[in-house]
Amino acid sequence: MKTLTIANQKGGVGKSTLAVHLAWLALEQGRPVLMVDFDGQANSSRTFSESFTGLPASQLFTVEPGALTQAPQPISDHLALIPADVAINDVEGLDLASIERPAVHLKGLALSPETICIIDTPPTLGRRLLAALIAADAVVSPLALNGYSIQGITDLQKTIQMVRTRFNPRLKNLGLLANMVNSRSTTHGQMLTELRSALGDKLLPFTLGHRVAISDAIDRGRPVWLGTRGESSQRAAHEMRAVCAAILEKLQ
């Protein structure tokens, strides 16, 4: 199993949107997918199911290794879900040792070696993000081009490096993904230029535009590349599919 964490401590940068599109493309590629949702808003969870059964995400933190009694919720033949539950927000108050439990639990699940596990994280640098990084083989960080989002880059990168040093040396930092980019905005263009100069190859060489078609597709519970019409929607579909394909390839 390969595990990919979607991380940024800032909200509204498109983590859940990217997570579910990565899952959809992996499924289209014939790969089994386990979606794990650590965000109390449960956006990724609700994209795939409105009723949650099976193993809730909070138990990955609260149950001792080897003591789980529930399995992930099956959504389809190749998709399973560990949904965010009400108690997932409470894990921030647990002892520090809890951050290493999810990695152990996920490795112990009876899943195909071909499975791609995608972990959606909350907008915080707390225990849930640390646990997701400890459990991951790779991390990618969507980034919105505004001052508040960019200001958090340094802290996030320091957190990723700390996890690599202390807990998970195999963790591969795939980089930062500029998301919701307005190609007509001079400000966004300047920000991208400055970020590329400052970050080098830490900034991924592709971007996602700010397109209504993506949010509309999420509302309909399908990837943006299915059933899209119109030039703008087609561009959104092409961009999202290309970005997800590149990330999944890097994960391998």
Side-chain angles (χ1 to χ4, degrees):
M1 181 173 73
K2 289 286 188 179
T3 300
L4 174 65
T5 287
I6 316 299
N8 193 320
Q9 76 274 28
K10 177 72 174 65
V13 298
K15 291 191 297 293
S16 297
T17 296
L18 179 62
V20 298
H21 275 90
L22 285 163
W24 277 320
L25 185 58
L27 289 167
E28 287 186 15
Q29 293 176 347
R31 301 288 299 272
V33 173
L34 173 64
M35 173 62 69
V36 181
D37 193 353
F38 285 172
D39 188 352
Q41 295 183 53
N43 290 331
S44 293
S45 302
R46 292 193 181 96
T47 297
F48 296 111
S49 179
E50 285 296 332
S51 59
F52 303 144
T53 60
L55 174 65
S58 64
Q59 288 194 12
L60 297 178
F61 293 84
T62 59
V63 176
E64 291 295 330
L68 286 178
T69 59
Q70 294 177 289
Q73 176 180 348
I75 303 299
S76 68
D77 288 344
H78 297 291
L79 174 64
L81 173 68
I82 299 180
D85 56 326
V86 174
I88 191 63
N89 294 319
D90 297 333
V91 305
E92 298 297 340
L94 297 177
D95 60 272
L96 191 58
S98 66
I99 64 175
E100 297 188 71
R101 290 176 189 150
V104 178
H105 286 309
L106 291 174
K107 287 179 183 177
L109 295 175
L111 299 173
S112 163
E114 297 299 312
T115 299
I116 292 179
C117 174
I118 299 171
I119 306 179
D120 193 9
T121 60
T124 174
L125 286 177
R127 285 176 173 33
R128 285 171 287 172
L129 177 58
L130 290 174
L133 293 172
I134 291 170
D137 295 291
V139 55
V140 64
S141 304
L143 171 71
L145 294 182
N146 61 61
Y148 292 121
S149 182
I150 291 172
Q151 287 170 10
I153 288 176
T154 300
D155 288 341
L156 177 63
Q157 297 302 305
K158 286 181 178 178
T159 299
I160 291 171
Q161 185 56 45
M162 181 276 292
V163 169
R164 292 181 65 183
T165 301
R166 294 182 56 185
F167 298 99
N168 182 8
R170 78 180 186 284
L171 178 63
K172 183 178 181 181
N173 189 354
L174 300 186
L176 295 145
L177 170 65
N179 192 18
M180 297 180 286
V181 177
N182 184 347
S183 60
R184 298 180 180 180
S185 167
T186 301
T187 301
H188 277 196
Q190 290 174 343
M191 283 185 172
L192 274 175
T193 299
E194 292 171 3
L195 284 171
R196 289 191 180 105
S197 177
L199 297 173
D201 60 5
K202 289 182 180 178
L203 185 68
L204 292 172
F206 34 77
T207 64
L208 285 173
H210 184 53
R211 305 192 189 279
V212 175
I214 296 175
S215 57
D216 286 347
I218 291 290
D219 290 342
R220 295 185 178 97
R222 59 169 174 77
V224 67
W225 54 78
L226 288 184
T228 54
R229 296 181 179 178
E231 184 179 348
S232 178
S233 296
Q234 296 267 339
R235 286 199 297 268
H238 175 77
E239 286 178 357
M240 180 63 79
R241 192 180 185 95
V243 165
C244 289
I247 290 172
L248 291 175
E249 184 176 353
K250 282 177 173 288
L251 179 62
Q252 302 311 310

